[in-house]
Amino acid sequence: VGFSVRINSSRKSHTGEIVRKEYVCSKEGATTKELGCKAKLAVVKSKSGTYVVSVFEEDHNHPLTTPRRVHLLRSYRNVSEAKRSLTHQLAAANIPIHQQISVLELQAGGMQNIGCLGKDLYNDETKSKNKVKGHDADMLLEHFELEKEKNSAFTYTIESDNENRITHCFWADATSRRVLLLKKRECRRALKP
């Protein structure tokens, strides 16, 4: 309906179960003229185990976002798994994020239908990179082992320093090795008198 929300507070029981959660307008506490928007919704867990609305304040002290611009609000934005997969494929093809947004916009029929902004894609990319940070060498080794299982002609060599960081890496699949072998034979023939 034209505003974004965020969790203001959450309380758990001694068993770790959420017993109270309060959602507020994203402009609550903002440093603009909308300072202290009082719109909020709080729910508590009752003794019967159901969640009950305990506080509901509907009025905002600021104009709400128009329907044409509601897609820009943070709680309306989301990078879906389909978009994440597509953007990762586009990134693998060295397509920068600003061009990825153009592809998504064309695919969705307009910027308002994408469901996220460029900065959401940048943030998602950073999260993805942080997930593999420190594990990239393990992932490379795992990939090489899988390739070797598929084809025994696949070969690789990894050298590391005394801190176990990769210093050199070489690999060749069956096709590359065949081509190299043919080139060696051609060179030998060319060198024979």
Side-chain angles (χ1 to χ4, degrees):
V1 293
F3 67 96
S4 196
V5 296
R6 65 179 173 80
I7 296 171
N8 188 45
S9 65
S10 183
R11 194 169 60 226
K12 294 182 178 181
S13 68
H14 64 282
T15 61
E17 187 177 36
I18 295 174
V19 294
R20 185 178 192 285
K21 198 169 265 198
E22 182 178 275
Y23 300 89
V24 295
C25 175
S26 62
K27 296 199 177 191
E28 185 275 339
T31 56
T32 64
K33 66 180 181 177
E34 294 90 21
L35 179 63
C37 179
K38 301 296 182 206
K40 73 167 95 173
L41 170 79
V43 292
V44 294
K45 189 162 190 174
S46 68
K47 290 180 180 168
S48 67
T50 60
Y51 288 93
V52 179
V53 174
S54 64
V55 177
F56 178 63
E57 179 57 53
E58 187 175 8
D59 296 329
H60 296 266
N61 64 350
H62 56 88
L64 299 180
T65 304
T66 63
R68 284 184 46 208
R69 298 184 53 81
V70 78
H71 67 280
L72 300 171
L73 296 172
R74 179 176 286 164
S75 63
Y76 286 75
R77 299 187 330 245
N78 176 33
V79 180
S80 68
E81 281 304 316
K83 280 185 195 67
R84 182 173 290 115
S85 177
L86 176 60
T87 57
H88 286 207
Q89 290 172 354
L90 294 171
N94 291 325
I95 297 172
I97 288 179
H98 70 276
Q99 289 178 345
Q100 292 177 26
I101 283 289
S102 297
V103 170
L104 293 173
E105 185 177 2
L106 184 66
Q107 183 186 42
M111 188 70 173
Q112 69 280 3
N113 300 326
I114 294 176
C116 61
L117 301 175
K119 77 178 189 177
D120 299 318
L121 296 181
Y122 281 107
N123 291 341
D124 192 65
E125 181 182 51
T126 301
K127 278 185 199 170
S128 294
K129 285 179 180 177
N130 287 340
K131 280 182 185 176
V132 298
K133 195 174 188 178
H135 302 286
D136 46 354
D138 295 332
M139 292 168 61
L140 180 65
L141 180 60
E142 186 178 318
H143 173 71
F144 285 167
E145 288 293 327
L146 287 171
E147 290 300 312
K148 190 151 184 75
E149 283 177 25
K150 287 189 240 173
N151 187 339
S152 60
F154 182 86
T155 186
Y156 70 92
T157 302
I158 298 175
E159 295 178 11
S160 59
D161 62 14
N162 57 359
E163 293 179 18
N164 215 18
R165 294 179 298 196
I166 293 177
T167 56
H168 297 89
C169 179
F170 170 82
W171 70 94
D173 61 13
T175 305
S176 301
R177 293 180 72 184
R178 235 178 284 123
V179 169
L180 182 61
L181 188 61
L182 290 172
K183 293 284 184 193
K184 280 183 179 178
R185 286 179 186 160
E186 286 175 14
C187 287
R188 284 186 195 133
R189 282 187 205 129
L191 292 174
K192 282 185 179 178

